[in-house]
Amino acid sequence: MLDIKNEVLIAENRIRTYIRETPLDFSVPLSKITDVHIYLKCENLQYTGAFKIRGAFNKLLSLTPSQRAKGIVTASSGNHGAAIAFGLNKLKIPGIVFVPENTSPTKVDNIRNYKVPLQFYATDCMQTEMYAMDYANKHNMIYVSPYNDPEVIAGQGTIALEITRQLDTVDVVLVPIGGGGLIAGIAGYIKSISPKTKIIGCLPENSPVMSESIKAGKIVEMKTLPTLSDATAGGIEPNSITFDICKQFVDDYLLVSEQEIKDAILTLIKTQHFLIEGAAGVALAALLKNTESFQNKNVVVVLSGANIGLDTLKTVLKS
């Protein structure tokens, strides 16, 4: 098993000058409404508008000069692609990003900001990932997974290191889950220094692949429905190392409906004047749906990103 604590400490030293230490904001209005001590980990304020920059930079900076020269291939539903593109541009590394054809235009524009080649393939994240892996093999390039990679996981885990620096007692951390890279890094690090802290994975009912996989005892293929949480939607790479890490370190899983995600996004706009995307809304929705479980506890909600499209935002506001 990956020594996540050690890998996170290495990642911290490697990437610190390239990323932003994001605030851990105590939410007075949300805490008052819920009788829970709510802290918001504001990765919505991270470079490129999402936490993915951490794992992307840790992976790119870990590569040798000869590996970098081969060029990088990645696949993404948007945020990881923007993070890799940002890193390739900054570090002057060649590469290409593949995204599904139905990727949010806002996230496509975010990737294009960094002048890295972008191609569309399929409408399912898993198919896009498999195609990108095959492309990397055929062209002798380095494939970087959005989640199934030790350096990517360790980079995301630097969020946990910051949280434990910013708050003395952390009772619960609520984290959105797609492929599991974010929660694997956070859970692996926090459990190593604070085993009593509960790590809870939050998923949309329309795409609960990791929680269903944990129930089944193996990574499952399942048909998923469209969700506002596009950053966590779709399948998980077969044999992904995130599955075993989640099995070992994640205490529970909470599912939320599309309406609950919308309500959470609206609640945060009203109370904190923060704009977040669907995946961040999933984590907050899980808290708002289950406040009785967290009374008088210090609960950290990881606001994973802010890259919500204007059309999606209009839909949320109309609701």
Side-chain angles (χ1 to χ4, degrees):
M1 178 68 80
L2 187 64
D3 182 349
I4 296 175
K5 181 185 177 184
N6 187 54
E7 290 300 320
V8 168
L9 293 172
I10 292 169
E12 166 72 8
N13 289 327
R14 189 183 276 146
I15 70 176
R16 181 46 55 192
T17 57
Y18 293 93
I19 66 163
R20 179 175 282 154
E21 175 157 343
T22 55
L24 185 69
D25 277 359
F26 177 69
S27 174
V28 173
L30 288 176
S31 300
K32 187 179 174 185
I33 292 164
T34 59
D35 285 329
V36 179
H37 307 308
I38 298 175
Y39 295 83
L40 305 172
K41 183 56 174 164
C42 300
E43 287 298 292
N44 52 313
L45 303 178
Q46 188 56 264
Y47 298 129
T48 72
F51 72 93
K52 292 281 193 177
I53 199 87
R54 297 171 182 270
F57 263 104
N58 194 42
K59 181 62 179 181
L60 294 176
L61 291 167
S62 74
L63 299 174
T64 64
S66 62
Q67 286 174 318
R68 293 187 193 188
K70 288 180 178 181
I72 306 303
V73 179
T74 199
S76 169
S77 61
N79 287 336
H80 172 73
I84 289 288
F86 179 87
L88 295 178
N89 183 283
K90 186 101 174 164
L91 300 172
K92 305 291 186 287
I93 301 172
I96 184 169
V97 176
F98 289 93
V99 297
E101 291 161 11
N102 55 351
T103 299
S104 156
T106 297
K107 293 186 176 181
V108 170
D109 289 345
N110 200 12
I111 296 168
R112 284 184 167 145
N113 281 336
Y114 305 105
K115 299 177 181 175
V116 167
L118 174 69
Q119 285 192 30
F120 296 88
Y121 182 82
T123 56
D124 176 83
C125 293
M126 197 68 259
Q127 290 175 353
T128 311
E129 286 177 36
M130 293 301 173
Y131 183 82
M133 278 186 247
D134 187 53
Y135 183 96
N137 285 334
K138 284 179 179 172
H139 294 82
N140 194 31
M141 297 169 77
I142 304 295
Y143 176 71
V144 178
S145 169
Y147 51 87
N148 187 23
D149 184 286
E151 281 79 32
V152 170
I153 290 168
Q156 321 308 22
T158 58
I159 292 172
L161 190 150
E162 289 178 15
I163 289 169
T164 56
R165 276 202 302 241
Q166 293 165 322
L167 185 61
D168 289 338
T169 304
V170 182
D171 297 313
V172 182
V173 185
L174 294 167
V175 189
I177 298 189
L182 175 61
I183 201 166
I186 289 175
Y189 182 83
I190 285 187
K191 288 291 189 180
S192 72
I193 60 171
S194 178
K196 290 182 179 176
T197 298
K198 299 290 183 198
I199 309 294
I200 299 179
C202 308
L203 307 92
E205 290 174 359
N206 282 5
S207 187
V209 182
M210 183 62 83
S211 61
E212 289 299 313
S213 297
I214 295 293
K215 273 189 215 169
K218 61 179 183 178
I219 294 173
V220 297
E221 284 185 38
M222 60 181 291
K223 189 165 178 60
T224 60
L225 298 171
T227 173
L228 282 167
S229 182
D230 57 333
T232 68
I236 300 170
E237 192 179 318
N239 303 314
S240 176
I241 58 175
T242 55
F243 173 76
D244 284 333
I245 297 170
C246 286
K247 198 163 65 171
Q248 182 175 356
F249 295 121
V250 177
D251 295 289
D252 201 2
Y253 298 86
L254 297 174
L255 272 57
V256 294
S257 69
E258 293 303 297
Q259 187 58 52
E260 286 162 344
I261 299 169
K262 287 180 186 177
D263 291 344
I265 293 171
L266 278 172
T267 298
L268 205 62
I269 292 172
K270 288 176 189 172
T271 58
Q272 298 288 143
H273 313 295
F274 276 177
L275 196 59
I276 55 168
E277 63 184 83
V282 168
L284 182 58
L287 170 60
L288 296 175
K289 185 178 183 177
N290 299 276
T291 53
E292 69 285 350
S293 303
F294 307 122
Q295 296 297 290
N296 300 310
K297 288 187 165 71
N298 286 349
V299 178
V300 174
V301 179
V302 179
L303 300 181
S304 53
N307 297 317
I308 187 168
L310 191 55
D311 288 342
T312 305
L313 182 58
K314 284 177 184 173
T315 302
V316 170
L317 293 172
K318 280 177 187 172
S319 74

